[in-house]
Amino acid sequence: MTRHRPAAVIVLAAGEGTRMRSATPKVLHAIGGRTLLGHALAAARALDPDHLAVVVRHGRDQVANHVAELDKTAIVADQDDIKGTGRAVACGLAALPEHDGTLLVTYGDVPLLSPSTLGELVEVHDASGSGVTMLTAEVADPTGYGRVVRDPSGDVLAIVEQKDATEEQRAIPEINAGTYAFDVAVLRAALDRLGTDNAQGEMYLTDVVALAREAGHRVGALRTADAWQVEGVNDRVQLAALGAELNRRLVVDWMRRGVTVVDPSTTWLDVDVELEADVTLLPGVQLRAGTRVRAGATIGPDTTLSGCDVAQDATVIRTHGTGARIEQGAIVGPFSHLRPGTVLGAGGRIGAFVETKNAVIGEGSKVPHLSYVGDATIGEGSNVGAATVFVNYDGVAKHRTVVGDHVRIGSDTMLVAPVTVGDGAYTAAGSVITEDVPPGALAVARSRQRVVEGWVERRRPGTAAADAAARARDATGDEATSHPPDRQNGPQQQDQEGTVRA
Ligand code: UD1
Ligand code: CA
């Protein structure tokens, strides 16, 4: 990313984050599908430092476990009982192997800081030979931030915290971002001299600036014009604001790369989605972590996909999908629920009110309406009639159903797994299939229809139904239908196939 690599990065993540009012440590809250700490670690890693440490304390184990998940080689450093950003950096430094050169400090709660800004900070620092180079920005409301105090020639003299600042200093619009490049030796010497004589009784990292100057080192500053990049999250209002800005940037970036986004304000993309040029995203689309969409595909409106793979020219309408693969030209939705392990083959179809799970549906096969397909393999060119259920669960274990190529499953079929329907076979509508169906066979598994002629006029006299029946009888003049005897339930002689419409 940058020609200038820092020797080390320390990410501060020990603070309490009380204003989040959350049982979850602040840095583990997420925007764009990645935790705040995840964003900070990704930016730091992009610089390819020799060493990377994360300073933890509040919610220690949760944060440390998260670091271990994200970054195997990051060092977790524990901050002790002494408070303050200066102490945090000292604890981080103590955990790192001995080294020289440039050390970068960033925060775990500043998610929009980009690798290129960090790289520029290192570059400016290395080129200037300063002891410290800090990142600053001018913000509309500097309240709460440390202010950057410069001398008349523009050199940085000190950083003064809000609580320690004079009225005059509080009027300074340039704030300390909290991101610094240090010469490690200069930092080490200054940390040894840090005190807690300030309004908060903490060891301020900001005091290193004045101490470095006293020791005869230059303090430089890189002022960024992009104030969003230095903004930290302190409460949930800022979490939402930064989340929206991150999303806006991601959407703009994808549009510049050739993705059509009809309504950027209702399109939400996680940082690690992958889109190709000529993908179209309709309003109300959320693409979550690990989703990939290929050229020519159209997603939405109102669709949420997580960890899904959508191939070229596929269409996914009003769908909720997790861990599904949709092959080329296939069509999904509206109102489909794709659960993990769903694979829809090229040109296939999953339609309205269909739920699928662990279901591999072959090329050109269709499940168009109102069905549940769980733990199934369906071959090519098969059709699953409306309201079919792949009955996969016996109350204890899940079982698999295999349907071959060019099969016609009649509407309202229950396929009680484990069961296999061979290539080219048919099942009759309304069947409960409990035994394997050989290739080419028709399986009928339902009770026969019984007709009791004249029942309504006899048993429901005076109703609208009886009147309608009487009118129908008079119109056809069919005497045979009037007052026949009740027929009892029993096997009929009619040919089974004659009743089937598949
Ligand atoms: C700090 C700076 C301030 C700057 C602001 C930018 C100091 C004294 N002040 O103020 O000049 O404008 O950041 O956002 O440095 N942390 C620890 N251990 C601690 C305390 C904090 O790891 O003991 C971490 C926090 O988790 C957080 C970061 O350091 O990631 C900043 O801490 P915070 O308390 O928010 O500092 P500010 O008071 O905002
Ligand atoms: Ca802060």
Side-chain angles (χ1 to χ4, degrees), residues 206-271:
T206 46
D207 288 346
V208 167
V209 167
L211 289 169
R213 269 189 69 92
E214 278 173 30
H217 302 284
R218 228 199 122 219
V219 175
L222 172 68
R223 196 190 310 214
T224 172
D226 183 3
W228 283 107
Q229 288 207 34
V230 307
E231 186 114 354
V233 171
N234 294 304
D235 60 27
R236 300 199 198 224
V237 176
Q238 284 170 313
L239 185 73
L242 284 167
E245 178 59 18
L246 172 63
N247 187 64
R248 196 191 64 76
R249 291 177 180 215
L250 290 167
V251 169
V252 165
D253 191 44
W254 284 117
M255 290 192 291
R256 298 228 188 278
R257 296 204 233 168
V259 173
T260 293
V261 179
V262 173
D263 183 10
S265 67
T266 61
T267 303
W268 288 82
L269 305 177
D270 278 357
V271 283

Short mmCIF file of all heavy atoms in Angstrom, two decimals, residues 206-271:
data_model
loop_
_atom_site.label_atom_id
_atom_site.label_comp_id
_atom_site.label_asym_id
_atom_site.label_seq_id
_atom_site.Cartn_x
_atom_site.Cartn_y
_atom_site.Cartn_z
N THR A 206 -0.94 12.77 24.97
CA THR A 206 -0.79 14.10 24.35
C THR A 206 0.36 14.90 24.96
O THR A 206 0.95 15.76 24.29
CB THR A 206 -2.10 14.89 24.51
OG1 THR A 206 -2.55 14.74 25.86
CG2 THR A 206 -3.16 14.37 23.58
N ASP A 207 0.69 14.61 26.22
CA ASP A 207 1.81 15.33 26.85
C ASP A 207 3.15 14.98 26.23
O ASP A 207 4.13 15.70 26.39
CB ASP A 207 1.84 15.03 28.36
CG ASP A 207 0.68 15.71 29.10
OD1 ASP A 207 0.04 16.61 28.49
OD2 ASP A 207 0.41 15.34 30.25
N VAL A 208 3.19 13.85 25.52
CA VAL A 208 4.43 13.45 24.84
C VAL A 208 4.87 14.52 23.84
O VAL A 208 6.05 14.74 23.62
CB VAL A 208 4.25 12.07 24.14
CG1 VAL A 208 5.39 11.79 23.17
CG2 VAL A 208 4.14 10.97 25.17
N VAL A 209 3.89 15.22 23.28
CA VAL A 209 4.20 16.25 22.28
C VAL A 209 5.07 17.35 22.90
O VAL A 209 6.15 17.68 22.38
CB VAL A 209 2.89 16.84 21.69
CG1 VAL A 209 3.17 18.10 20.90
CG2 VAL A 209 2.21 15.79 20.81
N ALA A 210 4.61 17.90 24.02
CA ALA A 210 5.37 18.96 24.68
C ALA A 210 6.71 18.44 25.20
O ALA A 210 7.75 19.11 25.10
CB ALA A 210 4.55 19.56 25.81
N LEU A 211 6.69 17.22 25.74
CA LEU A 211 7.94 16.62 26.27
C LEU A 211 8.96 16.40 25.15
O LEU A 211 10.16 16.63 25.34
CB LEU A 211 7.64 15.29 26.97
CG LEU A 211 6.89 15.42 28.32
CD1 LEU A 211 6.41 14.05 28.80
CD2 LEU A 211 7.81 16.06 29.36
N ALA A 212 8.50 15.98 23.99
CA ALA A 212 9.41 15.76 22.86
C ALA A 212 10.03 17.09 22.42
O ALA A 212 11.21 17.16 22.09
CB ALA A 212 8.65 15.11 21.70
N ARG A 213 9.21 18.12 22.44
CA ARG A 213 9.73 19.45 22.08
C ARG A 213 10.79 19.91 23.08
O ARG A 213 11.85 20.40 22.69
CB ARG A 213 8.60 20.47 22.02
CG ARG A 213 7.97 20.59 20.65
CD ARG A 213 7.03 21.77 20.62
NE ARG A 213 7.76 23.05 20.70
CZ ARG A 213 8.17 23.73 19.64
NH1 ARG A 213 7.93 23.27 18.42
NH2 ARG A 213 8.81 24.86 19.78
N GLU A 214 10.49 19.73 24.36
CA GLU A 214 11.45 20.10 25.41
C GLU A 214 12.77 19.37 25.22
O GLU A 214 13.84 19.92 25.46
CB GLU A 214 10.92 19.73 26.81
CG GLU A 214 9.96 20.74 27.38
CD GLU A 214 9.34 20.23 28.68
OE1 GLU A 214 10.00 19.45 29.40
OE2 GLU A 214 8.17 20.59 28.94
N ALA A 215 12.68 18.13 24.76
CA ALA A 215 13.90 17.32 24.56
C ALA A 215 14.59 17.69 23.24
O ALA A 215 15.58 17.05 22.85
CB ALA A 215 13.54 15.84 24.58
N GLY A 216 14.06 18.69 22.54
CA GLY A 216 14.73 19.20 21.35
C GLY A 216 14.31 18.58 20.04
O GLY A 216 14.96 18.76 19.01
N HIS A 217 13.19 17.84 20.05
CA HIS A 217 12.72 17.21 18.81
C HIS A 217 11.64 18.05 18.15
O HIS A 217 10.89 18.75 18.83
CB HIS A 217 12.18 15.81 19.09
CG HIS A 217 13.19 14.92 19.74
ND1 HIS A 217 14.22 14.34 19.04
CD2 HIS A 217 13.34 14.54 21.04
CE1 HIS A 217 14.96 13.63 19.87
NE2 HIS A 217 14.45 13.73 21.09
N ARG A 218 11.56 17.95 16.85
CA ARG A 218 10.52 18.65 16.12
C ARG A 218 9.23 17.88 16.21
O ARG A 218 9.23 16.64 16.24
CB ARG A 218 10.93 18.74 14.63
CG ARG A 218 10.77 20.15 14.07
CD ARG A 218 10.72 20.14 12.55
NE ARG A 218 9.45 20.74 12.14
CZ ARG A 218 8.71 20.31 11.14
NH1 ARG A 218 9.08 19.28 10.43
NH2 ARG A 218 7.59 20.93 10.85
N VAL A 219 8.12 18.59 16.29
CA VAL A 219 6.82 17.94 16.24
C VAL A 219 6.11 18.39 14.97
O VAL A 219 5.90 19.59 14.77
CB VAL A 219 5.96 18.28 17.47
CG1 VAL A 219 4.57 17.70 17.33
CG2 VAL A 219 6.64 17.76 18.74
N GLY A 220 5.82 17.46 14.13
CA GLY A 220 5.15 17.79 12.88
C GLY A 220 3.67 17.43 12.95
O GLY A 220 3.21 16.79 13.90
N ALA A 221 2.93 17.86 11.95
CA ALA A 221 1.51 17.52 11.90
C ALA A 221 1.07 17.33 10.46
O ALA A 221 1.52 18.03 9.57
CB ALA A 221 0.67 18.62 12.56
N LEU A 222 0.22 16.35 10.26
CA LEU A 222 -0.42 16.17 8.96
C LEU A 222 -1.89 16.49 9.16
O LEU A 222 -2.58 15.84 9.97
CB LEU A 222 -0.25 14.72 8.47
CG LEU A 222 -1.04 14.38 7.20
CD1 LEU A 222 -0.49 15.12 5.99
CD2 LEU A 222 -1.00 12.86 6.96
N ARG A 223 -2.34 17.53 8.47
CA ARG A 223 -3.74 17.93 8.63
C ARG A 223 -4.56 17.31 7.53
O ARG A 223 -4.31 17.55 6.35
CB ARG A 223 -3.83 19.45 8.57
CG ARG A 223 -5.17 19.97 9.11
CD ARG A 223 -5.37 21.45 8.83
NE ARG A 223 -4.21 22.25 9.22
CZ ARG A 223 -4.30 23.49 9.71
NH1 ARG A 223 -5.47 24.04 9.89
NH2 ARG A 223 -3.21 24.18 9.99
N THR A 224 -5.54 16.47 7.90
CA THR A 224 -6.38 15.86 6.87
C THR A 224 -7.62 16.71 6.63
O THR A 224 -8.18 17.30 7.56
CB THR A 224 -6.78 14.41 7.22
OG1 THR A 224 -7.74 13.96 6.26
CG2 THR A 224 -7.42 14.33 8.60
N ALA A 225 -8.02 16.78 5.38
CA ALA A 225 -9.21 17.56 5.02
C ALA A 225 -10.48 16.73 5.22
O ALA A 225 -11.59 17.25 5.18
CB ALA A 225 -9.11 18.01 3.57
N ASP A 226 -10.29 15.44 5.44
CA ASP A 226 -11.43 14.53 5.55
C ASP A 226 -11.71 14.25 7.03
O ASP A 226 -11.18 13.30 7.61
CB ASP A 226 -11.08 13.23 4.80
CG ASP A 226 -12.22 12.24 4.81
OD1 ASP A 226 -13.31 12.56 5.34
OD2 ASP A 226 -12.03 11.13 4.28
N ALA A 227 -12.56 15.08 7.62
CA ALA A 227 -12.80 15.00 9.07
C ALA A 227 -13.42 13.66 9.50
O ALA A 227 -13.23 13.21 10.63
CB ALA A 227 -13.67 16.16 9.53
N TRP A 228 -14.15 13.01 8.59
CA TRP A 228 -14.76 11.71 8.94
C TRP A 228 -13.70 10.70 9.37
O TRP A 228 -13.94 9.82 10.18
CB TRP A 228 -15.50 11.13 7.73
CG TRP A 228 -16.83 11.77 7.47
CD1 TRP A 228 -17.15 12.62 6.47
CD2 TRP A 228 -18.03 11.59 8.23
NE1 TRP A 228 -18.47 12.98 6.55
CE2 TRP A 228 -19.03 12.37 7.62
CE3 TRP A 228 -18.35 10.84 9.38
CZ2 TRP A 228 -20.35 12.41 8.11
CZ3 TRP A 228 -19.65 10.90 9.86
CH2 TRP A 228 -20.62 11.67 9.23
N GLN A 229 -12.52 10.83 8.77
CA GLN A 229 -11.48 9.82 9.02
C GLN A 229 -10.94 9.85 10.45
O GLN A 229 -10.36 8.88 10.92
CB GLN A 229 -10.32 10.01 8.05
CG GLN A 229 -10.66 9.60 6.65
CD GLN A 229 -9.45 9.16 5.89
OE1 GLN A 229 -8.52 8.57 6.45
NE2 GLN A 229 -9.43 9.44 4.61
N VAL A 230 -11.11 10.98 11.12
CA VAL A 230 -10.56 11.08 12.48
C VAL A 230 -11.66 10.92 13.54
O VAL A 230 -11.40 10.92 14.73
CB VAL A 230 -9.82 12.42 12.69
CG1 VAL A 230 -8.78 12.61 11.59
CG2 VAL A 230 -10.78 13.59 12.74
N GLU A 231 -12.89 10.81 13.07
CA GLU A 231 -14.02 10.74 13.99
C GLU A 231 -14.08 9.39 14.72
O GLU A 231 -14.05 8.34 14.10
CB GLU A 231 -15.32 10.94 13.20
CG GLU A 231 -16.52 11.04 14.07
CD GLU A 231 -17.17 12.42 14.02
OE1 GLU A 231 -16.61 13.33 13.38
OE2 GLU A 231 -18.23 12.56 14.59
N GLY A 232 -14.18 9.48 16.06
CA GLY A 232 -14.29 8.25 16.85
C GLY A 232 -15.73 8.00 17.24
O GLY A 232 -16.58 8.88 17.16
N VAL A 233 -15.99 6.77 17.67
CA VAL A 233 -17.32 6.42 18.14
C VAL A 233 -17.33 6.48 19.67
O VAL A 233 -16.53 5.80 20.32
CB VAL A 233 -17.70 4.99 17.68
CG1 VAL A 233 -19.00 4.54 18.35
CG2 VAL A 233 -17.82 4.93 16.17
N ASN A 234 -18.19 7.28 20.20
CA ASN A 234 -18.35 7.32 21.66
C ASN A 234 -19.73 6.84 22.09
O ASN A 234 -19.89 6.32 23.18
CB ASN A 234 -18.12 8.75 22.19
CG ASN A 234 -16.69 9.20 21.98
OD1 ASN A 234 -15.75 8.53 22.42
ND2 ASN A 234 -16.50 10.28 21.26
N ASP A 235 -20.73 7.04 21.23
CA ASP A 235 -22.08 6.58 21.57
C ASP A 235 -22.75 6.01 20.31
O ASP A 235 -22.16 5.97 19.24
CB ASP A 235 -22.90 7.72 22.17
CG ASP A 235 -23.04 8.90 21.21
OD1 ASP A 235 -22.97 8.71 19.98
OD2 ASP A 235 -23.20 10.04 21.69
N ARG A 236 -23.99 5.57 20.47
CA ARG A 236 -24.66 4.89 19.36
C ARG A 236 -25.12 5.85 18.27
O ARG A 236 -25.34 5.43 17.14
CB ARG A 236 -25.83 4.08 19.89
CG ARG A 236 -25.33 3.05 20.89
CD ARG A 236 -26.33 1.95 21.10
NE ARG A 236 -26.03 1.25 22.34
CZ ARG A 236 -26.05 -0.08 22.45
NH1 ARG A 236 -26.35 -0.83 21.43
NH2 ARG A 236 -25.76 -0.64 23.60
N VAL A 237 -25.22 7.12 18.63
CA VAL A 237 -25.57 8.10 17.60
C VAL A 237 -24.39 8.23 16.63
O VAL A 237 -24.57 8.23 15.40
CB VAL A 237 -25.91 9.46 18.25
CG1 VAL A 237 -26.18 10.51 17.18
CG2 VAL A 237 -27.13 9.32 19.16
N GLN A 238 -23.18 8.29 17.18
CA GLN A 238 -22.00 8.36 16.32
C GLN A 238 -21.79 7.05 15.57
O GLN A 238 -21.34 7.05 14.42
CB GLN A 238 -20.76 8.68 17.16
CG GLN A 238 -20.70 10.14 17.58
CD GLN A 238 -19.61 10.39 18.60
OE1 GLN A 238 -19.48 9.65 19.57
NE2 GLN A 238 -18.82 11.42 18.37
N LEU A 239 -22.13 5.95 16.22
CA LEU A 239 -21.99 4.65 15.55
C LEU A 239 -22.84 4.63 14.28
O LEU A 239 -22.36 4.23 13.20
CB LEU A 239 -22.44 3.53 16.50
CG LEU A 239 -22.26 2.10 16.00
CD1 LEU A 239 -20.78 1.70 16.02
CD2 LEU A 239 -23.06 1.10 16.84
N ALA A 240 -24.08 5.12 14.39
CA ALA A 240 -24.98 5.14 13.22
C ALA A 240 -24.48 6.14 12.17
O ALA A 240 -24.51 5.85 10.96
CB ALA A 240 -26.39 5.49 13.66
N ALA A 241 -24.01 7.30 12.62
CA ALA A 241 -23.56 8.32 11.67
C ALA A 241 -22.34 7.83 10.89
O ALA A 241 -22.25 7.99 9.66
CB ALA A 241 -23.22 9.61 12.41
N LEU A 242 -21.40 7.20 11.60
CA LEU A 242 -20.21 6.69 10.92
C LEU A 242 -20.55 5.49 10.04
O LEU A 242 -19.97 5.31 8.96
CB LEU A 242 -19.13 6.32 11.94
CG LEU A 242 -18.40 7.55 12.51
CD1 LEU A 242 -17.57 7.17 13.72
CD2 LEU A 242 -17.50 8.17 11.47
N GLY A 243 -21.52 4.69 10.50
CA GLY A 243 -21.97 3.55 9.69
C GLY A 243 -22.57 4.03 8.37
O GLY A 243 -22.29 3.48 7.30
N ALA A 244 -23.37 5.09 8.44
CA ALA A 244 -24.01 5.63 7.23
C ALA A 244 -22.96 6.23 6.29
O ALA A 244 -23.04 6.07 5.07
CB ALA A 244 -25.05 6.67 7.61
N GLU A 245 -21.98 6.91 6.86
CA GLU A 245 -20.94 7.51 6.02
C GLU A 245 -20.06 6.43 5.37
O GLU A 245 -19.72 6.53 4.20
CB GLU A 245 -20.09 8.47 6.86
CG GLU A 245 -18.94 9.12 6.10
CD GLU A 245 -19.36 9.94 4.88
OE1 GLU A 245 -20.54 10.32 4.79
OE2 GLU A 245 -18.49 10.19 4.02
N LEU A 246 -19.74 5.41 6.14
CA LEU A 246 -18.97 4.30 5.57
C LEU A 246 -19.73 3.68 4.40
O LEU A 246 -19.18 3.44 3.32
CB LEU A 246 -18.70 3.23 6.65
CG LEU A 246 -18.07 1.94 6.14
CD1 LEU A 246 -16.69 2.19 5.56
CD2 LEU A 246 -17.99 0.89 7.25
N ASN A 247 -21.04 3.47 4.63
CA ASN A 247 -21.86 2.87 3.58
C ASN A 247 -21.91 3.76 2.34
O ASN A 247 -21.79 3.29 1.21
CB ASN A 247 -23.28 2.63 4.11
CG ASN A 247 -24.10 1.86 3.12
OD1 ASN A 247 -23.79 0.71 2.81
ND2 ASN A 247 -25.12 2.49 2.58
N ARG A 248 -22.07 5.08 2.58
CA ARG A 248 -22.12 6.02 1.46
C ARG A 248 -20.84 5.90 0.63
O ARG A 248 -20.87 5.85 -0.60
CB ARG A 248 -22.29 7.44 1.99
CG ARG A 248 -22.72 8.45 0.96
CD ARG A 248 -22.61 9.88 1.48
NE ARG A 248 -21.23 10.26 1.79
CZ ARG A 248 -20.31 10.57 0.88
NH1 ARG A 248 -20.62 10.57 -0.40
NH2 ARG A 248 -19.08 10.87 1.23
N ARG A 249 -19.71 5.80 1.33
CA ARG A 249 -18.42 5.71 0.62
C ARG A 249 -18.30 4.39 -0.16
O ARG A 249 -17.81 4.36 -1.28
CB ARG A 249 -17.26 5.85 1.63
CG ARG A 249 -17.20 7.25 2.18
CD ARG A 249 -16.13 7.46 3.24
NE ARG A 249 -16.22 8.86 3.65
CZ ARG A 249 -15.18 9.61 3.99
NH1 ARG A 249 -13.97 9.11 4.03
NH2 ARG A 249 -15.36 10.87 4.32
N LEU A 250 -18.75 3.31 0.46
CA LEU A 250 -18.69 2.01 -0.22
C LEU A 250 -19.56 2.01 -1.48
O LEU A 250 -19.14 1.54 -2.54
CB LEU A 250 -19.15 0.89 0.72
CG LEU A 250 -18.21 0.57 1.89
CD1 LEU A 250 -18.92 -0.32 2.91
CD2 LEU A 250 -16.94 -0.11 1.38
N VAL A 251 -20.76 2.56 -1.35
CA VAL A 251 -21.69 2.58 -2.49
C VAL A 251 -21.12 3.43 -3.62
O VAL A 251 -21.14 3.03 -4.80
CB VAL A 251 -23.09 3.07 -2.04
CG1 VAL A 251 -23.99 3.34 -3.25
CG2 VAL A 251 -23.75 2.04 -1.12
N VAL A 252 -20.59 4.59 -3.27
CA VAL A 252 -19.98 5.46 -4.29
C VAL A 252 -18.83 4.73 -4.99
O VAL A 252 -18.72 4.74 -6.22
CB VAL A 252 -19.48 6.78 -3.66
CG1 VAL A 252 -18.53 7.52 -4.60
CG2 VAL A 252 -20.66 7.67 -3.29
N ASP A 253 -18.02 4.06 -4.20
CA ASP A 253 -16.88 3.32 -4.75
C ASP A 253 -17.34 2.25 -5.75
O ASP A 253 -16.79 2.12 -6.84
CB ASP A 253 -16.10 2.70 -3.58
CG ASP A 253 -14.78 2.15 -4.03
OD1 ASP A 253 -14.09 2.84 -4.81
OD2 ASP A 253 -14.43 1.02 -3.62
N TRP A 254 -18.40 1.51 -5.39
CA TRP A 254 -18.89 0.46 -6.31
C TRP A 254 -19.51 1.06 -7.56
O TRP A 254 -19.37 0.51 -8.66
CB TRP A 254 -19.87 -0.48 -5.59
CG TRP A 254 -19.16 -1.44 -4.69
CD1 TRP A 254 -19.26 -1.53 -3.33
CD2 TRP A 254 -18.20 -2.44 -5.07
NE1 TRP A 254 -18.43 -2.50 -2.84
CE2 TRP A 254 -17.77 -3.09 -3.88
CE3 TRP A 254 -17.66 -2.85 -6.29
CZ2 TRP A 254 -16.83 -4.13 -3.88
CZ3 TRP A 254 -16.72 -3.89 -6.29
CH2 TRP A 254 -16.32 -4.51 -5.10
N MET A 255 -20.19 2.18 -7.40
CA MET A 255 -20.78 2.82 -8.59
C MET A 255 -19.67 3.25 -9.54
O MET A 255 -19.78 3.08 -10.76
CB MET A 255 -21.65 4.01 -8.19
CG MET A 255 -22.94 3.58 -7.48
SD MET A 255 -24.18 4.89 -7.29
CE MET A 255 -23.39 5.95 -6.10
N ARG A 256 -18.58 3.77 -8.99
CA ARG A 256 -17.46 4.17 -9.84
C ARG A 256 -16.84 2.98 -10.55
O ARG A 256 -16.22 3.11 -11.60
CB ARG A 256 -16.38 4.88 -9.02
CG ARG A 256 -16.88 6.14 -8.37
CD ARG A 256 -15.95 7.32 -8.57
NE ARG A 256 -16.37 8.47 -7.77
CZ ARG A 256 -17.32 9.33 -8.15
NH1 ARG A 256 -17.93 9.19 -9.31
NH2 ARG A 256 -17.64 10.33 -7.37
N ARG A 257 -17.02 1.80 -9.97
CA ARG A 257 -16.47 0.60 -10.59
C ARG A 257 -17.48 -0.11 -11.50
O ARG A 257 -17.26 -1.24 -11.91
CB ARG A 257 -15.99 -0.37 -9.51
CG ARG A 257 -14.84 0.21 -8.70
CD ARG A 257 -14.03 -0.91 -8.09
NE ARG A 257 -13.87 -0.74 -6.67
CZ ARG A 257 -13.40 -1.69 -5.86
NH1 ARG A 257 -13.08 -2.87 -6.34
NH2 ARG A 257 -13.25 -1.46 -4.58
N GLY A 258 -18.62 0.55 -11.74
CA GLY A 258 -19.53 0.02 -12.75
C GLY A 258 -20.78 -0.66 -12.24
O GLY A 258 -21.49 -1.29 -13.01
N VAL A 259 -21.06 -0.54 -10.95
CA VAL A 259 -22.28 -1.13 -10.41
C VAL A 259 -23.39 -0.10 -10.45
O VAL A 259 -23.19 1.05 -10.06
CB VAL A 259 -22.04 -1.59 -8.96
CG1 VAL A 259 -23.33 -2.05 -8.30
CG2 VAL A 259 -20.99 -2.71 -8.93
N THR A 260 -24.56 -0.49 -10.94
CA THR A 260 -25.72 0.41 -10.92
C THR A 260 -26.39 0.29 -9.56
O THR A 260 -26.78 -0.80 -9.16
CB THR A 260 -26.74 0.04 -12.02
OG1 THR A 260 -26.15 0.31 -13.29
CG2 THR A 260 -28.02 0.85 -11.89
N VAL A 261 -26.49 1.41 -8.86
CA VAL A 261 -27.19 1.44 -7.57
C VAL A 261 -28.33 2.43 -7.72
O VAL A 261 -28.12 3.64 -7.78
CB VAL A 261 -26.24 1.87 -6.43
CG1 VAL A 261 -26.99 1.93 -5.10
CG2 VAL A 261 -25.05 0.91 -6.34
N VAL A 262 -29.54 1.91 -7.81
CA VAL A 262 -30.69 2.77 -8.11
C VAL A 262 -30.96 3.74 -6.96
O VAL A 262 -31.24 4.91 -7.18
CB VAL A 262 -31.94 1.91 -8.41
CG1 VAL A 262 -33.18 2.78 -8.56
CG2 VAL A 262 -31.71 1.10 -9.68
N ASP A 263 -30.84 3.27 -5.72
CA ASP A 263 -31.11 4.14 -4.57
C ASP A 263 -30.02 3.97 -3.51
O ASP A 263 -30.14 3.14 -2.62
CB ASP A 263 -32.49 3.82 -3.99
CG ASP A 263 -32.84 4.76 -2.84
OD1 ASP A 263 -32.11 5.76 -2.64
OD2 ASP A 263 -33.84 4.50 -2.16
N PRO A 264 -28.96 4.79 -3.61
CA PRO A 264 -27.85 4.64 -2.66
C PRO A 264 -28.28 4.74 -1.20
O PRO A 264 -27.69 4.09 -0.34
CB PRO A 264 -26.93 5.82 -3.02
CG PRO A 264 -27.19 6.05 -4.47
CD PRO A 264 -28.66 5.79 -4.65
N SER A 265 -29.34 5.51 -0.91
CA SER A 265 -29.70 5.72 0.49
C SER A 265 -30.34 4.49 1.12
O SER A 265 -30.38 4.36 2.34
CB SER A 265 -30.62 6.93 0.63
OG SER A 265 -31.86 6.66 0.01
N THR A 266 -30.88 3.57 0.32
CA THR A 266 -31.46 2.35 0.91
C THR A 266 -30.66 1.11 0.54
O THR A 266 -31.14 -0.02 0.67
CB THR A 266 -32.92 2.15 0.47
OG1 THR A 266 -32.96 2.01 -0.96
CG2 THR A 266 -33.79 3.33 0.88
N THR A 267 -29.45 1.31 0.05
CA THR A 267 -28.59 0.18 -0.31
C THR A 267 -27.47 0.09 0.73
O THR A 267 -26.75 1.06 0.93
CB THR A 267 -27.98 0.41 -1.71
OG1 THR A 267 -29.05 0.59 -2.64
CG2 THR A 267 -27.10 -0.76 -2.13
N TRP A 268 -27.38 -1.03 1.40
CA TRP A 268 -26.38 -1.18 2.47
C TRP A 268 -25.42 -2.31 2.12
O TRP A 268 -25.84 -3.44 1.90
CB TRP A 268 -27.08 -1.45 3.80
CG TRP A 268 -27.77 -0.23 4.30
CD1 TRP A 268 -29.00 0.23 3.93
CD2 TRP A 268 -27.23 0.73 5.21
NE1 TRP A 268 -29.26 1.43 4.57
CE2 TRP A 268 -28.21 1.75 5.37
CE3 TRP A 268 -26.03 0.82 5.92
CZ2 TRP A 268 -28.00 2.86 6.19
CZ3 TRP A 268 -25.85 1.91 6.76
CH2 TRP A 268 -26.82 2.91 6.89
N LEU A 269 -24.15 -1.96 2.08
CA LEU A 269 -23.13 -2.93 1.69
C LEU A 269 -22.11 -3.10 2.79
O LEU A 269 -21.63 -2.11 3.37
CB LEU A 269 -22.42 -2.43 0.42
CG LEU A 269 -23.32 -2.10 -0.77
CD1 LEU A 269 -22.50 -1.54 -1.92
CD2 LEU A 269 -24.10 -3.33 -1.22
N ASP A 270 -21.78 -4.33 3.09
CA ASP A 270 -20.68 -4.58 4.02
C ASP A 270 -19.35 -4.37 3.31
O ASP A 270 -19.29 -4.41 2.07
CB ASP A 270 -20.75 -6.02 4.57
CG ASP A 270 -21.74 -6.13 5.72
OD1 ASP A 270 -22.31 -5.09 6.11
OD2 ASP A 270 -21.94 -7.25 6.22
N VAL A 271 -18.29 -4.17 4.10
CA VAL A 271 -17.00 -3.89 3.48
C VAL A 271 -16.49 -5.04 2.62
O VAL A 271 -15.83 -4.80 1.61
CB VAL A 271 -15.91 -3.52 4.52
CG1 VAL A 271 -16.09 -2.10 5.01
CG2 VAL A 271 -15.90 -4.50 5.67
#
